[in-house]
Amino acid sequence: MLVYLARRVGVAFVVLIAVTFLTFVMLHLLADPVREIVGRSATPDQVAAKRAELGLNDPIVSRYGSWLADASRGNLGTSWFTGIPVTETIGSALPVTVSVALLATATSAALGVLAGMAAAFRRGWIDKALQTATGVAFSVPALWVALLLVIVFAIRLHWLPATGYTPFAQSPLGWARSLVLPVIALSLSPVAAIANQTRSDVATIMQQDFFRTLRSRGLPRRRLLFRHLLRNAAPKTLTIVGLQFIALFGGTLVVEEIFAMPGLGIVTGSSALRADVPVVLGVVLVSTLLVVAVNLFVDLAVGWLDPKERQH
Amino acid sequence: MNRSIRLAKVRRAIGASLASMGLIYATAACGAGSGSSAADRTVVLATPTDLTNWDPAVGGDDLATLFFQTVFSPLLTVNVDLTVSPGIASVYSYNGTQTSLTLTIPAGQRFSDETPLDADAVKRNLDRTMKTKGGSATSLANITSVTVKSPTEVVIDLKAPDPGLLFALGRAPGMMVSPRAFGNAKITPVGSGPYVLDQHASTRGSRYVFARNPAYPHPERYGFDKVELRPMRDFNAMIAATTSKQVDVGGVAADGVEPAKAAGLTVKAMPSNVIGMWLVDRGGELAKPLADVRVRQAINHALDADGFIKAISKGGGTRTTQMFAVASQSYDASLDSRYPYDPARARQLLAEAGYPHGFELKMPSENAFEPAYYPIVQKQLAAVGIKVTYIPVAANQIADRYLGGEFPAFMWTYSPSDNWLDATYLLSKNGIYNPFHTDDRKVTGLLARIQKAPRAQQQPLFQQLNRYVVEQAWFAPLNIDPVYITWKPDKVKGTIGDKQMFIDLRDFQPLAG
């Protein structure tokens, strides 16, 4: 297990270096932030001075090296535009995105597993209804769902806020209210993905000899369901849930824009547009770390649930 | 731990999660929509952008000014009709050569942290702004020195007359920050404005809450006890927040005007932006035909401004041929009929200029701002023989590439403000919006005369300049595209003039009682 962990951490480190370096190079090639910082009417001397101050005249590899050295000590620098430390910027935006992504994943997992099991177990019209519903859910974009939810629940019914985010510490109820519509908008497609996966896995297991035997022995339905069926289907479903969380984490920008939530998507978008290199790199680093951690967690959980996987 | 216990734990965890999620959804759906009630004297305003940082010395646009004016007071006040009146400085006057501006700072003014706001604080602010890299320093570039004559008098000496200085002192460059807060000015605003930022109640990027500043000397000018600014970058978010009445003051695009009215909101159009084609290569370096004024005039005749207004602005814009603000002293309504849509006249002008079969023109296109214009512009210019080829440009490269002289012409949305600033930016040889450095003797002469003239005598000169530029067809402006401001009439009394181009916090007051 230790070797496995060490290997995964090693791979994660390589991924981190590759992703941050590529981001660094792309930011360098795509945009010049100095004009934005000093103003369009600044003199060439002012531009040159700012360029030197930011170290933009140094070779790109040396600049990246300096950033990496600082980052390894936990210093992600300060935004070139806002003057706020990057860790603080990420610290205030991360809870928003994580709240949305986690709740959307949890909602999708709960509903998807239940729907998938019901479809596989009951078959008949439930299965057909699920197939139709997942087809629709896959084809409807989150953006459209979000707008529809806003029109119905915020503009028409006034039940929930159309925009904004309230931190949990400020008001737990306000926090929950601000998350309902974004979470529903984001959950639709993942629910469909998880339901399909669960249905397929459960249906396959139900065809297997060991399950038929257990069923013929007359084991209690609950035990059959949770102990034998769900446990055997769990590894693949868990993998899908992990992938959905990563996709949701990266895909929250749309709902953050529509619901005016100050999450990582908004921070990344606005920082990338003006080439605020320290902030973009900080976000990329944290996001990559999170993705690597979730993948590792899923792998370990799958190994725990399925001894065969552990041997692999 | 055996497997059954582990599975039981998993089941309990799932159950608990489901229960808590159910609780979240159930509790979250309770209660009516948010926003503020009429009784609490709180006004919630939506803004289309977030503030980059709180330091006015760095600078900012009109939207940043809305943030700044909650916590900072400017040395002078720029009124919504673009006139200037006293601010922190109760009296201001130039010397005979317009190179020395004396400001009187009444005694007894204080910042919200109790630091005295006197002539010394003014000097320290202006000195700091001039040294800070950003747009504000550029606006003060003509200042040679700031001298404290007494605690209530400060003198600003200039290299040369600067007709834009008074306007600048009423915007971000003139906003005074407490000298004790200089070190953290980007993050924590401490000023002498009507409100103070409530950091605890605010969430950066989402909600900025302001409470009254007890030290502000004119609280009667601002009727609300609490102000909330909520940035919404996405226009759908803004429309949703506005029509669901989550915010008291907001904005909508042309598409949102009818839904906003149907939701019971008052909607007012502000003539804020001039959309049009900029014919910047007037020397013909990249596109030789553009050096001929007849070709530039032909382009003006070839574009159907009324058609654009109907098709894209949903009838909400106003056709124009001018780059200056409607409310400004340069604006001349009679010039707006100078170039009627007339393809036949355009073809005739092109033929007279030696291009009877038109010519090819390379222009940039983008998806961020006005994508709907490009195909129509291309079609209408093709109708008179000008074949436009578009080169796509990424949103974050627009300013650099357009203003770097890479294209002979481009589409641009411009927000005019003070006449002198617009004239120097757009028309002067080294103006930032004059990428090919067009140097016209008449324009230069008029700018020199305006620079030396007292403010009261500038109007006829500005109008002459405007007329000349329109006649020379330096631009092909299409329409004044409005920004629509909305407010709840049962909560807010809004006062926005027909020619007003930007909002001021004082435009919105609570209903009487």
Side-chain angles (χ1 to χ4, degrees):
Chain A
M1 180 58 99
L2 276 177
V3 175
Y4 172 76
L5 266 178
R7 203 169 58 216
R8 292 303 304 258
V9 169
V11 170
F13 182 73
V14 173
V15 169
L16 272 177
I17 298 287
V19 170
T20 51
F21 184 69
L22 274 176
T23 309
F24 199 88
V25 172
M26 280 194 288
L27 284 171
H28 174 77
L29 293 176
L30 289 178
D32 182 1
V34 177
R35 274 275 165 205
E36 288 294 321
I37 297 171
V38 298
R40 230 128 268 285
S41 46
T43 63
D45 287 346
Q46 286 173 318
V47 174
K50 192 69 191 179
R51 193 174 289 282
E53 183 189 320
L54 297 177
L56 295 177
N57 297 327
D58 301 339
I60 193 162
V61 176
S62 123
R63 279 164 48 207
Y64 176 74
S66 305
W67 174 82
L68 194 62
D70 288 343
S72 65
R73 289 191 291 268
N75 175 13
L76 295 179
T78 301
S79 161
W80 287 348
F81 289 84
T82 64
I84 298 172
V86 174
T87 44
E88 206 176 300
T89 302
I90 294 174
S92 68
L94 192 64
V96 182
T97 305
V98 167
S99 297
V100 176
L102 262 183
L103 268 178
T105 308
T107 307
S108 315
L111 295 178
V113 168
L114 284 177
M117 282 180 69
F121 224 69
R122 303 260 181 187
R123 295 285 184 175
W125 69 269
I126 294 181
D127 192 21
K128 281 179 188 152
L130 180 81
Q131 303 278 8
T132 312
T134 53
V136 172
F138 275 132
S139 57
V140 176
L143 169 78
W144 186 81
V145 177
L147 291 174
L148 198 70
L149 290 170
V150 166
I151 290 168
V152 175
F153 293 103
I155 296 174
R156 292 277 161 82
L157 299 173
H158 292 278
W159 287 0
L160 292 160
T163 61
Y165 172 79
T166 306
F168 186 85
Q170 214 171 71
S171 159
L173 180 63
W175 172 79
R177 295 184 77 239
S178 65
L179 287 175
V180 172
L181 296 184
V183 165
I184 295 175
L186 270 181
S187 298
L188 212 56
S189 174
V191 167
I194 294 167
N196 266 349
Q197 182 68 46
T198 309
R199 178 196 165 279
S200 160
D201 291 344
V202 170
T204 308
I205 293 164
M206 285 172 71
Q207 300 297 320
Q208 288 177 2
D209 291 342
F210 87 95
F211 188 80
R212 284 183 182 164
T213 311
L214 289 170
R215 205 173 194 179
S216 64
R217 278 188 191 169
L219 252 64
R221 198 178 166 123
R222 223 173 177 196
R223 193 169 165 192
L224 203 62
L225 206 75
F226 283 103
R227 191 164 181 183
H228 300 287
L229 197 60
L230 196 58
R231 189 169 162 263
N232 278 289
K236 280 185 184 168
T237 304
L238 196 61
T239 307
I240 288 286
V241 170
L243 290 174
Q244 290 299 334
F245 173 77
I246 291 165
L248 286 169
F249 186 79
T252 54
L253 174 64
V254 173
V255 294
E256 285 176 15
E257 290 272 15
I258 290 176
F259 293 100
M261 305 176 85
L264 272 191
I266 296 268
V267 169
T268 314
S270 56
S271 306
L273 267 180
R274 59 191 180 203
D276 195 343
V277 175
V279 177
V280 179
L281 281 175
V283 173
V284 167
L285 179 74
V286 169
S287 306
T288 312
L289 275 172
L290 200 76
V291 168
V292 167
V294 169
N295 277 333
L296 192 62
F297 170 78
V298 169
D299 284 355
L300 292 175
V302 167
W304 174 71
L305 285 164
D306 186 354
K308 277 184 284 179
E309 284 294 324
R310 234 176 304 167
Q311 284 164 5
H312 283 277
Chain B
M1 193 186 294
N2 70 45
R3 276 181 200 156
S4 62
I5 294 174
R6 280 195 305 215
L7 279 173
K9 284 195 169 183
V10 169
R11 282 202 298 273
R12 274 201 299 273
I14 291 171
S17 305
L18 283 171
S20 62
M21 273 158 46
L23 186 67
I24 283 169
Y25 288 134
T27 52
C30 295
S34 60
S36 53
S37 66
D40 65 5
R41 292 177 86 85
T42 297
V43 65
V44 182
L45 294 97
T47 69
T49 56
D50 191 9
L51 185 71
T52 304
N53 69 66
W54 276 108
D55 191 356
V58 175
D61 54 17
D62 283 341
L63 292 164
T65 303
L66 186 65
F67 281 86
F68 289 154
Q69 67 183 205
T70 55
V71 283
F72 302 112
S73 289
L75 286 170
L76 300 174
T77 303
V78 172
N79 302 304
V80 291
D81 60 358
L82 299 176
T83 57
V84 174
S85 58
I88 289 170
S90 58
V91 180
Y92 59 98
S93 60
Y94 271 115
N95 65 352
T97 57
Q98 311 280 312
T99 53
S100 186
L101 177 69
T102 302
L103 304 175
T104 302
I105 313 296
Q109 298 190 73
R110 289 185 174 276
F111 291 100
S112 59
D113 64 355
E114 293 298 309
T115 306
L117 201 181
D118 52 14
D120 183 59
V122 171
K123 175 183 164 52
R124 290 177 67 186
N125 265 276
L126 293 176
D127 284 346
R128 184 179 81 95
T129 301
M130 287 189 285
K131 285 181 201 152
T132 304
K133 294 178 185 75
S136 287
T138 312
S139 301
L140 304 183
N142 264 320
I143 297 178
T144 52
S145 66
V146 181
T147 311
V148 175
K149 294 288 182 187
S150 76
T152 59
E153 190 175 293
V154 64
V155 175
I156 300 171
D157 289 311
L158 307 172
K159 286 180 218 162
D162 184 351
L165 183 64
L166 297 183
F167 183 86
L169 295 180
R171 312 299 275 174
M175 303 273 183
M176 296 291 104
V177 178
S178 168
R180 271 164 51 191
F182 280 174
N184 206 24
K186 277 187 172 178
I187 298 167
T188 306
V190 182
S192 60
Y195 300 95
V196 288
L197 177 67
D198 181 347
Q199 299 265 22
H200 180 69
S202 301
T203 307
R204 190 169 176 83
S206 174
R207 184 170 176 247
Y208 297 88
V209 181
F210 306 87
R212 277 197 187 276
N213 172 11
Y216 185 67
H218 309 291
E220 73 284 355
R221 292 178 187 170
Y222 297 86
F224 288 101
D225 295 332
K226 206 164 106 180
V227 173
E228 244 188 81
L229 296 181
R230 294 190 188 175
M232 294 176 191
R233 295 196 327 166
D234 184 84
F235 231 77
N236 288 314
M238 178 85 89
I239 291 172
T242 302
T243 48
S244 68
K245 299 189 177 178
Q246 193 186 13
V247 297
D248 302 317
V249 179
V252 290
D255 288 342
V257 170
E258 288 311 315
K261 283 181 181 169
L265 299 168
T266 303
V267 182
K268 183 76 185 176
M270 293 198 306
S272 300
N273 301 312
V274 178
I275 298 180
M277 188 169 161
W278 289 24
L279 311 172
V280 288
D281 185 14
R282 295 152 204 139
E285 287 177 42
L286 298 179
K288 196 177 161 214
L290 290 186
D292 193 312
V293 63
R294 290 167 295 187
V295 171
R296 301 198 298 268
Q297 289 174 338
I299 290 173
N300 270 270
H301 279 298
L303 297 172
D304 178 12
D306 290 329
F308 282 104
I309 291 167
K310 198 173 168 190
I312 300 174
S313 301
K314 312 292 176 200
T318 314
R319 63 168 299 141
T320 191
T321 59
Q322 305 168 67
M323 297 300 290
F324 290 107
V326 180
S328 73
Q329 52 185 332
S330 297
Y331 192 80
D332 178 352
S334 69
L335 291 174
D336 286 337
S337 53
R338 171 64 183 85
Y339 298 110
Y341 174 54
D342 188 347
R345 176 72 181 137
R347 279 191 290 271
Q348 186 190 345
L349 283 164
L350 286 171
E352 286 171 16
Y355 301 100
H357 305 295
F359 59 91
E360 291 194 358
L361 184 64
K362 280 188 181 164
M363 283 176 63
S365 66
E366 41 72 31
N367 283 319
F369 299 104
E370 305 299 342
Y373 278 77
Y374 294 105
I376 308 175
V377 166
Q378 192 175 40
K379 194 176 168 191
Q380 293 185 351
L381 290 180
V384 299
I386 301 172
K387 191 183 169 201
V388 173
T389 309
Y390 287 122
I391 297 157
V393 172
N396 61 357
Q397 295 180 337
I398 289 173
D400 279 344
R401 293 181 66 184
Y402 285 28
L403 303 179
E406 195 176 329
F407 302 102
F410 49 76
M411 295 297 296
W412 191 277
T413 301
Y414 185 71
S415 303
S417 58
D418 173 68
N419 278 166
W420 177 253
L421 294 181
D422 292 334
T424 48
Y425 288 167
L426 295 166
L427 312 176
S428 70
K429 186 187 168 193
N430 293 317
I432 50 169
Y433 294 115
N434 185 4
F436 288 84
H437 307 292
T438 307
D439 188 12
D440 183 286
R441 191 184 297 176
K442 184 151 185 182
V443 168
T444 308
L446 278 167
L447 287 174
R449 286 172 65 193
I450 293 168
Q451 186 177 13
K452 287 172 192 155
R455 200 169 172 87
Q457 294 168 23
Q458 290 169 354
Q459 181 167 9
L461 296 169
F462 269 124
Q463 289 196 333
Q464 206 179 326
L465 177 68
N466 188 20
R467 232 178 354 259
Y468 179 74
V469 171
V470 170
E471 193 54 42
Q472 287 295 309
W474 278 25
F475 304 88
L478 291 170
N479 61 310
I480 301 168
D481 198 42
V483 167
Y484 296 97
I485 303 297
T486 64
W487 64 87
K488 293 180 191 168
D490 54 345
K491 165 83 185 290
V492 175
K493 184 187 172 199
T495 315
I496 291 184
D498 289 339
K499 294 179 178 179
Q500 191 171 326
M501 298 178 56
F502 54 87
I503 59 170
D504 186 295
L505 270 182
R506 290 170 300 173
D507 296 337
F508 305 102
Q509 300 290 342
L511 292 178

